[in-house]
Amino acid sequence: MFSEEIKQAAQPILHDIQQHPFVQGIQAGKVPSAALAVYVEQDTCFLNAFAKVFAGALVKSQTKERMRFFSEQIQYSLADESVAHQILCDIAGIELVEHQHAEPRPLTALYTEHLFTAVREGDLLDIAAVVLPCPWTYNEISQAIVENAAPDNPFLPWIEFYQGDEEGAGDDSVTQLFAMLDEAAPKLSDQRKEEITHRFLRSCELEYDFWEQAYSQKDWKYRWK
């Protein structure tokens, strides 16, 4: 299936994400508080943009079923993930409300522009391709970590947040987005598949860079008002 092909192509990036010091720190139960603060600030910016991208997908949807699906993703991006942010803030000893209005840092700005470009230039398949790496890699990260995390790991609630339902079916949104690509794949030209794959892999790489930005606390070098 097309979804398996692009996931296989992304394996080197996924491997590097799982080996990143920030992600390894989550598994070990220790991440610098400053890195957690930057992550929460920038993920808030990112999820606000994510919601707008899903809104664009809703506008491009032709069926009520897909409109309903993307409407649910908007709600999840704007509200539900604040639970995960609160967990990280509690670990870092910081107040969530003080880290919800930050300016996007360089990588956040680049990543969100990548998402918005897909909305401006593409269709639902392009949007599915650019948004999938975020929930997909988080599912993979949490599945890899939960097996090795100590029972007293303070990040366990965060890890379990991305574990899916109690039956282990995983994140249904990821399943549906990949299914959207597989459903359309038989009618796509090789060039179109390459375009979609490129968008998907670029988002995967940007996911790696997002972890790196938070861990290294990279910010704009020059600022002006």
Side-chain angles (χ1 to χ4, degrees):
M1 291 191 298
F2 183 42
S3 61
E4 292 304 317
E5 292 177 11
I6 63 175
K7 281 189 278 187
Q8 186 60 38
Q11 288 305 304
I13 308 174
L14 178 61
H15 173 269
D16 287 349
I17 291 173
Q18 293 172 328
Q19 296 302 312
H20 191 277
F22 196 124
V23 177
Q24 289 292 301
I26 292 173
Q27 180 171 310
K30 187 174 182 179
V31 177
S33 295
L36 291 175
V38 172
Y39 173 89
V40 169
E41 290 175 355
Q42 295 307 299
D43 200 44
T44 299
C45 296
F46 177 78
L47 290 172
N48 288 341
F50 223 46
K52 295 177 182 179
V53 173
F54 282 126
L58 191 155
V59 172
K60 293 174 183 284
S61 297
Q62 299 298 317
T63 67
K64 286 186 176 181
E65 179 180 3
R66 285 195 173 167
M67 291 173 68
R68 187 176 301 109
F69 170 75
F70 287 115
S71 177
E72 291 170 352
Q73 301 315 303
I74 294 171
Q75 172 61 28
Y76 182 84
S77 298
L78 291 177
D80 293 0
E81 289 221 38
S82 63
V83 175
H85 289 169
Q86 185 62 62
I87 293 169
L88 298 184
C89 286
D90 290 344
I91 294 171
I94 58 179
E95 294 294 329
L96 176 59
V97 68
E98 296 178 2
H99 296 273
Q100 291 180 311
H101 306 287
E103 176 188 357
R105 296 191 181 209
L107 191 280
T108 310
L110 177 63
Y111 197 171
T112 55
E113 180 57 26
H114 171 61
L115 298 175
F116 291 144
T117 297
V119 176
R120 289 193 300 265
E121 299 178 353
D123 57 22
L124 284 182
L125 299 182
D126 295 284
I127 296 174
V130 294
V131 301
L132 259 167
C134 179
W136 175 61
T137 58
Y138 274 62
N139 284 354
E140 295 295 317
I141 288 169
S142 63
Q143 290 169 15
I145 291 177
V146 72
E147 298 177 358
N148 301 307
D152 60 347
N153 187 322
F155 290 95
L156 271 180
W158 184 92
I159 297 167
E160 292 167 352
F161 179 84
Y162 293 102
Q163 278 289 290
D165 59 35
E166 295 180 355
E167 285 73 34
D171 190 327
D172 187 56
S173 67
V174 173
T175 301
Q176 290 193 52
L177 288 167
F178 275 128
M180 190 181 301
L181 297 182
D182 286 333
E183 180 183 345
K187 301 178 182 178
L188 300 178
S189 66
D190 289 344
Q191 180 179 350
R192 186 73 180 103
K193 287 182 179 180
E194 288 179 6
E195 293 172 352
I196 293 169
T197 300
H198 181 268
R199 292 189 192 275
F200 178 80
L201 294 176
R202 180 57 56 83
S203 285
C204 286
E205 183 168 350
L206 289 167
E207 280 295 317
Y208 174 88
D209 290 339
F210 197 86
W211 291 109
E212 176 61 23
Q213 175 181 247
Y215 193 75
S216 65
Q217 300 159 53
K218 180 177 177 58
D219 203 351
W220 300 102
K221 183 175 181 178
Y222 303 101
R223 289 180 172 273
W224 61 91
K225 293 185 178 180

